[in-house]
Structure formats: structure tokens, C-alpha cells
Amino acid sequence: MNRMDRYRALMRDRRGGVTMILAGSLFMLMGAATVAVDLGSIYLARRELQGVTDAAALAAADGGRGAAEQLIGRSGVSDVALAAIDSGSYASDPAVPFDQRFRLNDPAGGAMRVELHRRTPLYFGRLLVGRDSIDLSARATAAKMDAAAFSLGTGLASLNGGLPNMLLSSLAGTELNLSVMDYNGLISADLDLLHVADALRVRAGRNDEAYGTLFDREVPLSDLLGAMGDVAGNSAATHSLMALANRIPGRTVRLSDIVDLGPARGATDATGQPNILLDAFSLLRMVLSPPSGTSVPMDLHVNVPGLTSTRLMLVTGEGQTRSPLISITAKRDVVLRTAQTRIYLESTVAAALSGIASVRIPLYVELAAAEARLSDIRCGLDGGVTLAVTPSIGSAVLGEIDVHALTNFSAPANPRPAVLATALGTRVTGYANISLGGVQTQSVHFSPSDIAAQLAKTVSTQDLVQGIAASLATRTQIQISLLGLIVSNSPLSPLIGALLGTTAPLLDGILNSVTATLGVRLGTAEVRVHQRRCGVATVVA
């Protein structure tokens, strides 16, 4: 066989092909393995560098360049060099482009930006790239922030087995059966709303979702109550919230109806965001309340010792307007509000007055929203927190209204004199109206000792010197008519007036229990500052 024939035979021979392919594959696998080793080394080195950079930025925010250099030296991470350190301010606002949020040399100050470099060796990759190391860099920005957490709360004193339980159960659509122990646990547990949102994301499997997107979703109320329990940090509150979550199946809630996150909508974590701190009972009341723009009417019959019968009609909502109960403004202030509410209370009380067996007392109360806004934080022993508070204004009437129009917040109730009693041709009518005009915002200062004691302060319009019903009773104009003729100076007038005066404390007890459950009182707002944080450095970018 000549040389040409041997060559052709070799070309036709397919034996040993797998061996050649395997040899080539092993070479490629070895190359991939060596690259993987270097990539893993680079990834670890980058994570270490970013951790040191974050810590250096925090140190710089507290102590300047020297503090950052000391931290780098103590970090134990080799070959790290401080490339740049800049002072300025930071605008933690999603509306501002990310690369423009740090404002270099801004006199407002409060922020430090640190950049570190590090050279990390290559082990096998040098055969491919011809270099024995690679340069890494990391940047972090830390800002010092003052923050205060506060609440527009309730003065509710007891919940067990009474009217508050009836109201909350009506809002929930099921019997809640909260006890005094449940209430005390809920009122003493302070919840940070964004931390609740973090727990809700975990439950919903949406860990990386922006807060605004999460708040726009219809989420199961049971999941939200469970998330509140997850972060309560209070065993009694956690137990109560988990129990409530099991009692309210199938209902959903959209948090954007309750909370307007404003510039915090695009945030994916609570870093650099305002504290939105509420007691668990107040937040429970908010999530059970109707969505903005809707109303929930309740018609309840209440047994009260001393009263023959009592009918309570309650409408809570916001009419046709959209006004979330919690808002973050463009200035990053947190604003808390209460809901608009209408209350109609019709009671009868036994009487023995010239043939009159009972007296009917119809009361109508209309409550606007109260509001509290963070206005100032001052650090130091002589500092504190100042809130701008607008009490709940409105009106109270002893008179007749059209109960069918209660749910229409856009229309006035048009109160008129009411028939209080009739007997043997005698007709007793009465009317009183209290209009509160205290619309001015009032400043309420909390000293460091007030905050430490968790002191609650009440802001009032000063238009009421006593309870609602008691104030109405003293101002009621009573008119007596006999067979259609008005009788002046009738002896019945002072007797009816005296009966209204003795009955008023019972009616005030009902109204106070209702309004306390809803977190709003006529002409009154109760506020509390939970904590003050001064100059706390936080990594913001």
C-alpha cells in the first residue's frame, strides 16, 4: 500500500474518535474550573470590599475621614485603599435620579460618600488574561438622620364585652371577642408600618417588590394581621393578632387606601425612610375601616342601664374624597389622620312627668378628620419633638335628622327640632346645636422625659367645657305646645331640662366609647411620641 492509500485509509478510520472528543472536553472543563475558582475569589473579595465600604461610610458620617481610615485599618481586609471621601447631603427621594441624590459640598451636610479600591489576585485566570491581579472598587453613602415616631391614638379605657367590641366586630364582619388583656397587648405594641410591609412581603413571597407596588395589591387581611403579629415584639399582641387572622378569612385589603407613601413608594427597604410607628390597636382599627371613598353604616341596639332603649347608627368613611389615614409628604413628613364619622344616637328614658311616660333624646354628631404632622425635631437634653395637631372639628345636635341620608357625606344632615315627648295633647320639642370652629393647627411639644414616659397629650378646640350630651342639654331650647298652642312658662320645661341633664352622662359614656374606639373625639386629638432618633448614621446608597 503506497503512501496515498495509507492516508486515505486513515481518513476513513473512525476508531478512537470518542477518545479525542473526551480529551478536548476535559481540557475545556479544566479551563472552566480554573475560571470558576477565580470568579468565586473575585465575588468574595467584592463582597468583603462592599462591607468594609459600607462600614467606612457609617464611620465617616459619625467621625469624618479619620474614623473611616481607622475602621479600614481594623477591618482585617488586606489591600484596601481609601480612594475618595466626599461630604455633602443626600436626598432619599425616588423622584430624584439615583446619581443625583448625593449633593457634593451641600452646606446642609449630614452625608458622607466613600469610595474604596482593592487589588485581588488571579490564580488561574492569569493564563487567559495575562494579568496576575484585578482592581475592584466599591462606593457607599451614609447619612445622619433625625427621626421621630408618633401616633394619633385613642383614649379607650376598656374594651371587654362592650360597645367597642360591637363596633370592631361590625367593621370586621365577624365577632372578634377582644378581651381587656387583648386590648392592653395591642395598645402597648408599637408597629413600624414598613417593617410590617417587610413581613407581609415574606408571607406573600414578594421579597424584592417595591412598597408602592405591594400597597397597591389586594392582600388577604389574614396575611396582613399575621404580618403585624410577626413584628409586634409583644407576646400578648402577637397572640391576639394571630387569633384575629384566623377569625377573618376571605377578606382582602389594599394598603394604598389607608397609606399614601408619597416619595417612599419606590423604596424596596426601610433604609432611609421615615418611621411610621403606630400602636397595633390603631393600625387594626385602620385596616378594618372602609376604604377611602366608601362608607360602612352600622345600626346597633345597645343595652345601657338607666336608659329604656338605645339605638346607635354609625357611618365611618371619607365620603367621595380620597384621603388616606397615613401620608408621607414631599418633605418626608409623616401625617396621621382619623376618618370622617357620623353618629346618630336615639335613646329613650323613663319619666313620670304629667302623664309623660318616656322622653326621647335624639343626638347627632358629625366628626371631621383630626390630623397630626411632625413639625420639628431637636436633639440634646433641651430638645424634643414638636407636632402640629389639628383637632377633630365638627358639630353636635340634639334634634331630628333624616337617618336615610347619613351615608351621603357630601350632603348636610339638615337637623331640625325634635319631638321629645307627647301625651294627652301635649307635645314637647327641643333643639340644640354646637358648632366647633377650632380649625387652627396647634403645636404640641414633647420633651425627652415626655417621650421616655410615653406621655399622651390631648389637643382640644376649647369649645366644649364638658361632654357632648351635657353641653347640648344645657343649651337645649325646649318648647311645650298644648293642642297646637305654644305654652310659655310651662312647668314641664324645667322638668324636661332636668331630665336631660341627669341623662346626659349616660349618653356621653356611649359617645365617648364610640369615638375612642374610632380614635377620634369631637374637638379633640390625642397624640403620643414613641421615640426620637438623633443623628443616626444609615447607609442610604
Side-chain angles (χ1 to χ4, degrees), residues 53-54 57 89-90 102 111-114 139-143 538-541:
T53 308
D54 290 345
S89 65
Y90 185 82
F102 181 79
M112 298 292 288
R113 184 174 63 188
V114 173
R139 177 181 289 182
T141 302
T538 304
V539 175
V540 293

Side-chain angles (χ1 to χ4, degrees), residues 199-429:
L200 181 59
R201 288 193 299 194
V202 172
R203 284 177 169 263
R206 301 180 181 277
N207 293 349
D208 298 324
E209 191 167 69
Y211 290 128
T213 304
L214 177 70
F215 279 35
D216 285 337
R217 296 186 182 279
E218 291 280 351
V219 299
L221 181 57
S222 57
D223 282 356
L224 177 57
L225 295 176
M228 291 166 59
D230 291 340
V231 301
N234 176 319
S235 59
T238 298
H239 174 77
S240 300
L241 289 166
M242 294 304 182
L244 290 176
N246 294 328
R247 294 179 200 161
I248 313 177
R251 182 172 165 181
T252 61
V253 62
R254 187 169 59 190
L255 283 170
S256 59
D257 290 329
I258 305 167
V259 185
D260 179 5
L261 289 173
R265 280 185 57 85
T268 56
D269 62 71
T271 301
Q273 302 303 323
N275 286 350
I276 311 173
L277 198 64
L278 294 168
D279 64 80
F281 183 83
S282 296
L283 187 54
L284 173 65
R285 181 185 64 232
M286 289 181 181
V287 300
L288 291 180
S289 296
S292 182
T294 63
S295 59
V296 170
M298 287 175 273
D299 194 346
L300 306 173
H301 293 276
V302 185
N303 294 321
V304 179
L307 300 177
T308 306
S309 66
T310 302
R311 181 190 185 191
L312 174 67
M313 299 183 69
L314 175 70
V315 182
T316 178
E318 285 291 333
Q320 301 303 311
T321 62
R322 187 181 190 281
S323 181
L325 301 180
I326 307 173
S327 297
I328 299 177
T329 71
K331 296 181 180 180
R332 307 189 64 73
D333 293 336
V334 177
V335 182
L336 303 182
R337 301 180 185 88
T338 58
Q340 185 176 348
T341 305
R342 285 179 168 182
I343 301 170
Y344 179 67
L345 180 64
E346 182 179 326
S347 301
T348 58
V349 58
L353 305 172
S354 301
I356 295 176
S358 63
V359 174
R360 173 176 169 266
I361 309 174
L363 299 179
Y364 172 70
V365 179
E366 185 164 302
L367 300 172
E371 180 178 292
R373 178 193 300 262
L374 179 65
S375 63
D376 189 32
I377 302 174
R378 295 188 181 274
C379 296
L381 296 177
D382 297 329
V385 175
T386 302
L387 304 180
V389 183
T390 304
S392 172
I393 62 170
S395 60
V397 175
L398 191 155
E400 207 76 72
I401 64 165
D402 181 5
V403 296
H404 299 293
L406 280 177
T407 57
N408 185 5
F409 280 89
S410 61
N414 294 322
R416 54 195 180 275
V419 176
L420 305 183
T422 58
L424 300 174
T426 301
R427 180 184 175 96
V428 181
T429 60

